[in-house]
Amino acid sequence: MSRMIIVDPMHNLFLGLVKSHFYHIWVQLRIFRKSRELCRLHEILSELSLPSKLGRLPRLIGEPAGGSLTADQWLILATIVGPLIARIGSGAVRRSGRTRKPSEKAKELVLEPDDAGAQLEPGDEEWFEEDEEDDSSVPSQLHPRDLANFFKLCKALRLFLSDSLSEAQLTAADELIRQYCLELVELYGEDVIRPNHHYATHTADFVRDYGPLRGFWTFLFERLNKILKSFDTNNHDGGAIEVTFFREFYCAARLHQLLAEGSQHPMATAVHMACREMQNATTDHRGTLQQLVNELEEAYCDASGTTSVGLIQHVLLYEVPSVGVRELFAHVQWLRPCEDVSPGLNGTPWSSVDSTFCLQLWEADTYLEPGVEPSPVPIVSLSDILSPVVRHPILLHGKPRWITMPTARNPIVSTL
């Protein structure tokens, strides 16, 4: 492959590899049974506590009611939900009360070609018709090595998505991608391999030549295309569409300017509060230049020693206008570390990914008491918070636990 040609990571890795494994293999080939593995996945999604800054996956992902997934949702599936689906093979059985027969669509089901764009076509995620047979008594088709192999893809993507990578991390991510592709052939044969799998083996070279993936992927362009498509053009042509786009853009820019000016009024005034409410109600910076600006302003650093994770209860503003001091603080309830930390995640399905995803264990529904026992201070500056975290309840060694994972792009230990 020419070093002057770049394969877009968004289409290649997320709409390519991740979607191919979940939808084309697990769903279309019926590796995931609706009453078993998919049912358990839906339970895990309902139990996850995700930061509000992240998007949401459909509650019934993998079924027609779940609809189509965007590239951003495939990213969340691989880097956030993926490392936590180790228990996908267990859970309650959802049985059907009637006998079903395979539909003609299910009998003629074939794998689809690679995606051509970020906006998936409606109905692309359709699975089987409702008159399909009950699969609650069907033996599991999930290969014992399948989830472990999918974890390799998740780990590789986590490393590739970092803002900065050393040559050792880049080599490790490249090796994980290659191992994933080779093992996929061993598990399901050559028919499941697509051109995207080959393109993915060049990702490390693209990062070496052009920097982190976020510098050259097409999320921003697809986001802008979505904004343009949302404008009502009334099917006009002959230059009218361009004029309509300009008018819509000018109106949106002018409204944003007016709201920004109103936000500069004193905080207690009605004008300030109204403008802030209107901004918060319509703000969606994901995939825009504003998001890139916000990300550049975030400070990420390596932490040494014990790291704490907590639940933010209140956000406090400390302001002294006379001297120009203005700082935000958070009132935090700190999670209680597990008393017996010796086993940790050793011997569990998460042991292979805990270091890459910085997984940590905590006592479930239990918090430290400041002043009564050793704990971090309950009031901390927002600038000291390293990363939001995802929290998932698990049962480990017969005891309820919380497992947390930071959502920061760099492989750091984090707090909430």
Side-chain angles (χ1 to χ4, degrees):
M1 179 177 292
S2 172
R3 298 294 288 273
M4 301 302 294
I5 298 177
I6 304 177
V7 176
D8 172 41
M10 184 192 75
H11 292 85
N12 175 222
L13 300 177
F14 307 119
L15 289 172
L17 268 62
V18 179
K19 179 187 174 182
S20 178
H21 199 124
F22 182 88
Y23 177 55
H24 294 152
I25 297 177
W26 283 346
V27 175
Q28 279 198 315
L29 298 182
R30 305 179 67 179
I31 304 300
F32 275 13
R33 298 164 292 176
K34 294 179 68 174
S35 61
R36 294 277 188 167
E37 289 82 11
L38 270 181
C39 180
R40 182 56 189 144
L41 175 59
H42 298 160
E43 291 177 359
I44 292 176
L45 290 176
S46 65
E47 296 168 352
L48 278 178
S49 297
L50 296 173
S52 58
K53 65 180 292 185
L54 295 179
R56 290 293 187 268
L57 294 179
R59 186 177 62 87
L60 296 178
I61 181 175
E63 297 186 11
S68 301
L69 268 65
T70 64
D72 190 47
Q73 290 173 318
W74 288 119
L75 185 154
I76 295 173
L77 176 66
T79 60
I80 302 298
V81 179
L84 300 176
I85 62 173
R87 298 178 295 125
I88 201 69
S90 62
V93 178
R94 184 177 59 199
R95 295 185 179 274
S96 172
R98 57 190 176 94
T99 303
R100 296 178 178 176
K101 298 179 180 180
S103 65
E104 293 300 323
K105 183 177 180 180
K107 294 177 181 178
E108 300 173 358
L109 194 60
V110 295
L111 294 180
E112 298 180 355
D114 289 331
D115 297 295
Q119 184 61 41
L120 305 183
E121 294 296 328
D124 185 54
E125 299 292 338
E126 289 184 2
W127 192 20
F128 303 118
E129 302 294 340
E130 285 301 319
D131 61 349
E132 184 186 349
E133 64 181 3
D134 184 7
D135 61 0
S136 59
S137 59
V138 176
S140 174
Q141 302 297 317
L142 185 65
H143 196 283
R145 295 161 52 196
D146 192 341
L147 289 180
N149 190 45
F150 184 70
F151 286 164
K152 293 179 181 179
L153 175 61
C154 296
K155 292 171 65 175
L157 294 179
R158 180 75 167 195
L159 291 173
F160 277 134
L161 288 174
S162 299
D163 284 337
S164 61
L165 291 89
S166 64
E167 181 60 32
Q169 292 173 324
L170 201 55
T171 302
D174 182 58
E175 182 63 25
L176 286 169
I177 283 287
R178 295 176 183 274
Q179 290 178 7
Y180 164 77
C181 294
L182 290 175
E183 193 166 347
L184 198 63
V185 176
E186 297 177 8
L187 297 180
Y188 297 107
E190 298 178 354
D191 292 341
V192 300
I193 298 299
R194 310 293 181 84
N196 275 323
H197 292 91
H198 169 72
Y199 301 153
T201 61
H202 294 275
T203 304
D205 291 332
F206 297 148
V207 174
R208 291 187 179 98
D209 291 343
Y210 302 102
L213 299 185
R214 295 172 185 270
F216 59 89
W217 66 15
T218 60
F219 270 105
L220 173 60
F221 302 100
E222 295 293 345
R223 171 66 177 176
L224 295 178
N225 286 337
K226 179 181 179 181
I227 294 175
L228 290 178
K229 289 180 180 179
S230 68
F231 294 160
D232 187 6
T233 62
N234 296 324
N235 297 320
H236 289 171
D237 54 11
I241 292 180
E242 290 78 1
V243 174
T244 301
F245 282 163
F246 182 80
R247 287 173 178 169
E248 290 279 355
F249 177 81
Y250 177 79
C251 291
R254 181 58 180 156
L255 176 60
H256 178 78
Q257 180 182 8
L258 292 174
L259 293 178
E261 292 175 356
S263 300
Q264 300 303 317
H265 285 245
M267 296 187 62
T269 62
V271 174
H272 174 87
M273 291 187 290
C275 290
R276 294 296 295 177
E277 287 296 325
M278 285 187 283
Q279 283 181 322
N280 294 334
T282 59
T283 297
D284 184 5
H285 293 322
R286 288 187 299 153
T288 65
L289 288 174
Q290 182 63 43
Q291 183 197 32
L292 298 181
V293 172
N294 293 339
E295 290 173 350
L296 290 175
E297 294 175 350
E298 294 176 357
Y300 294 94
C301 60
D302 293 334
S304 59
T306 303
T307 301
S308 299
V309 174
L311 180 65
I312 295 179
Q313 298 294 312
H314 307 283
V315 176
L316 313 173
L317 172 63
Y318 175 74
E319 186 174 18
V320 184
S322 60
V323 295
V325 175
R326 190 173 189 272
E327 188 172 0
L328 291 173
F329 293 86
H331 175 216
V332 183
Q333 274 190 311
W334 299 105
L335 274 60
R336 183 182 300 278
C338 294
E339 297 179 358
D340 183 13
V341 297
S342 55
L345 294 172
N346 295 330
T348 70
W350 295 285
S351 59
S352 62
V353 296
D354 62 338
S355 59
T356 302
F357 293 92
C358 302
L359 302 182
Q360 294 177 277
L361 280 175
W362 311 90
E363 300 282 351
D365 296 303
T366 308
Y367 301 92
L368 296 174
E369 300 181 15
V372 179
E373 55 187 329
S375 69
V377 292
I379 305 295
V380 297
S381 173
L382 286 183
S383 61
D384 293 333
I385 296 177
L386 299 178
S387 169
V389 300
V390 175
R391 186 184 67 200
H392 179 51
I394 63 173
L395 191 65
L396 188 63
H397 309 302
K399 299 180 180 179
R401 296 283 187 259
W402 278 347
I403 186 171
T404 61
M405 178 178 64
T407 61
R409 298 186 298 274
N410 288 335
I412 61 172
V413 181
S414 63
T415 59
L416 180 65

